[in-house]
Amino acid sequence: MVDPTVIATPAMTSAVPHASLVTEVRVPWWSVLPWAVVLAFGNGFWMVSLRGAAGSIERTSDPFESWLRESTVLVSWYVMAVVVAVALARRRFGSRPRGLGGATGSIGLVVAAGTAAGTIVLVVSSMIDYRLQVERMDHVATVHPACDDACLSELFRSTWHVEAKAVAVGVVLMLATDLALVLLVLALRGGGLRNGLVHVRPVARTSDRHVVLAACLLGAAAVHAAVAPEHLSQWRPAGTFFVLLSLSEVIVGVLALSRRPGGRRAALPAAVVVSVVPLLTWMLSRVTGLPFGPEAWTPEAVGAADAMACLLELTALVLALRLLRTRSPDRTRSRYAQAVAVAAVVTVTTVGVGCSTLPVVGLFPGVGTDHGAEVTGAG
């Protein structure tokens, strides 16, 4: 049975033989993106509001700026959640849901995905607040010995209960807000609901894994570029290393997106090299310390930015090795899977860049390590 939403032109079908065409279901981005944006900013509002009521004082200054910045950074996180919800809705209710049950089920999945994504962020934020508050209370106990172990334990317990209540209240508020925002966006778009767009295209196209590989390399390059200025100010050879590493990852990432199979194949061993070298360097600097530099053989602390860069490099290494072992051409299997993977990579990248010390994008006070005190950094 032919799907009525298939998009195909006579020129396409006449210019390309039928055997070289493939039908795929594309992500309905005109639905996904508006939903992701409003969910990110709606849930972000409650997260920052609850942080002001129960969070650590280090993270409660400039609430409007924090809401705007953090919500913008987390849009890709909500894109990933909404794409997963739409993919599940398509599998259960079809590309164009029919009847009240199909529409209600599809909307419910989007609302549930948005609330789940917001809950994860809220829990992580509350854990960070709790850690900072515990550190402050430990410091107060050392300055004021009148608060003994029992007193300190009671302070910890009451602080934990307050953070837990904030999360519970936040989940309820986000659920109600997400439902209202999803319905509002749907109404503004005329009420049309689609879980997929069926499209006929030629077979030849860059594969899923090559696209994700390129995204990982470009994301790692962005994180390395973000931490390069601080390392240049601390120790010029370390900063130069990060600049050269960023340029190498950009070149290899662009090459991985080449439409020529030979170009994509040549990018794979290069991707292994630009992933393994910084990973090994990072492990050495964190375990034993580098054998050279101003702080030779001094292990460095693990920071959030370098952890995100390592995650991207490790993913790129695994993908490159798998593609090197693949003999047959790797074809795209699911637009939804590719969208989820790329959104995850963008999320890790934005968090990594946001945890750097750049003045404009330093988004997460109290998170990670003070990189300004380090000589070398993210792997």
Side-chain angles (χ1 to χ4, degrees):
M1 181 177 179
V2 180
D3 195 303
T5 60
V6 171
I7 304 172
T9 62
M12 176 185 294
T13 55
S14 61
V16 183
H18 178 72
S20 63
L21 293 177
V22 64
T23 300
E24 66 177 7
V25 180
R26 292 185 172 182
V27 179
W29 290 111
W30 285 109
S31 296
V32 170
L33 292 178
W35 277 335
V37 171
V38 298
L39 290 173
F41 282 87
N43 290 348
F45 171 82
W46 292 120
M47 184 179 68
V48 173
S49 299
L50 291 169
R51 181 189 302 166
S56 174
I57 192 172
E58 293 94 329
R59 306 179 66 224
T60 55
S61 60
D62 297 325
F64 177 78
E65 184 177 356
S66 296
W67 166 72
L68 189 62
R69 285 184 169 187
E70 294 178 24
S71 299
T72 302
V73 165
L74 292 173
V75 166
S76 58
W77 170 250
Y78 285 92
V79 168
M80 181 174 63
V82 174
V83 170
V84 171
V86 171
L88 293 175
R90 177 189 168 271
R91 180 173 296 183
R92 177 66 179 84
F93 305 109
S95 296
R96 303 190 74 171
R98 306 289 183 180
L100 181 61
T104 303
S106 299
I107 293 172
L109 284 171
V110 174
V111 172
T115 304
T119 301
I120 293 173
V121 175
L122 181 59
V123 169
V124 172
S125 178
S126 296
M127 291 174 62
I128 294 170
D129 284 326
Y130 179 74
R131 178 179 63 83
L132 293 174
Q133 292 177 41
V134 166
E135 292 176 355
R136 190 186 314 112
M137 286 184 286
D138 281 332
H139 175 70
V140 171
T142 59
V143 176
H144 302 283
C147 185
D148 56 12
D149 291 343
C151 169
L152 198 59
S153 177
E154 177 62 23
L155 288 175
F156 291 164
R157 187 181 67 83
S158 60
T159 301
W160 174 258
H161 285 171
V162 169
E163 292 292 347
K165 289 180 180 178
V167 171
V169 172
V171 171
V172 175
L173 292 172
M174 288 189 296
L175 181 61
T177 303
D178 291 350
L179 177 59
L181 291 175
V182 168
L183 291 175
L184 177 62
V185 171
L186 189 62
L188 292 175
R189 296 188 67 253
L193 183 61
R194 286 189 177 183
N195 296 325
L197 300 173
V198 182
H199 184 78
V200 177
R201 64 164 178 83
V203 171
R205 187 169 68 85
T206 306
S207 69
D208 281 347
R209 287 187 287 185
H210 281 92
V211 171
V212 179
L213 171 63
C216 288
L217 292 171
L218 295 174
V223 178
H224 290 141
V227 301
E230 64 189 84
H231 297 301
L232 282 169
S233 64
Q234 295 290 324
W235 188 40
R236 189 170 297 275
T240 303
F241 170 76
F242 283 105
V243 172
L244 295 177
L245 178 60
S246 299
L247 292 175
S248 300
E249 288 171 331
V250 169
I251 293 172
V252 178
V254 172
L255 189 60
L257 292 174
S258 173
R259 291 185 176 273
R260 296 180 301 173
R264 293 197 300 269
R265 195 74 182 176
L268 299 181
V272 172
V273 173
V274 298
S275 300
V276 168
V277 170
L279 281 171
L280 293 178
T281 304
W282 180 84
M283 290 179 62
L284 180 63
S285 67
R286 268 59 184 179
V287 176
T288 63
L290 295 176
F292 46 80
E295 297 184 6
W297 300 115
T298 302
E300 300 174 22
V302 177
D306 51 81
M308 297 299 103
C310 287
L311 179 59
L312 293 170
E313 290 159 354
L314 185 60
T315 305
L317 176 61
V318 172
L319 288 172
L321 291 175
R322 290 192 63 180
L323 287 168
L324 281 171
R325 295 180 58 184
T326 302
R327 297 183 179 274
S328 58
D330 183 49
R331 295 181 178 178
T332 297
R333 294 175 177 82
S334 171
R335 284 279 192 166
Y336 291 88
Q338 177 179 299
V340 169
V342 172
V345 171
V346 173
T347 301
V348 173
T349 301
T350 53
V351 171
V353 173
C355 289
S356 70
T357 57
L358 290 180
V360 178
V361 297
L363 305 179
F364 305 109
V367 181
T369 303
D370 181 7
H371 291 278
E374 297 176 6
V375 176
T376 58

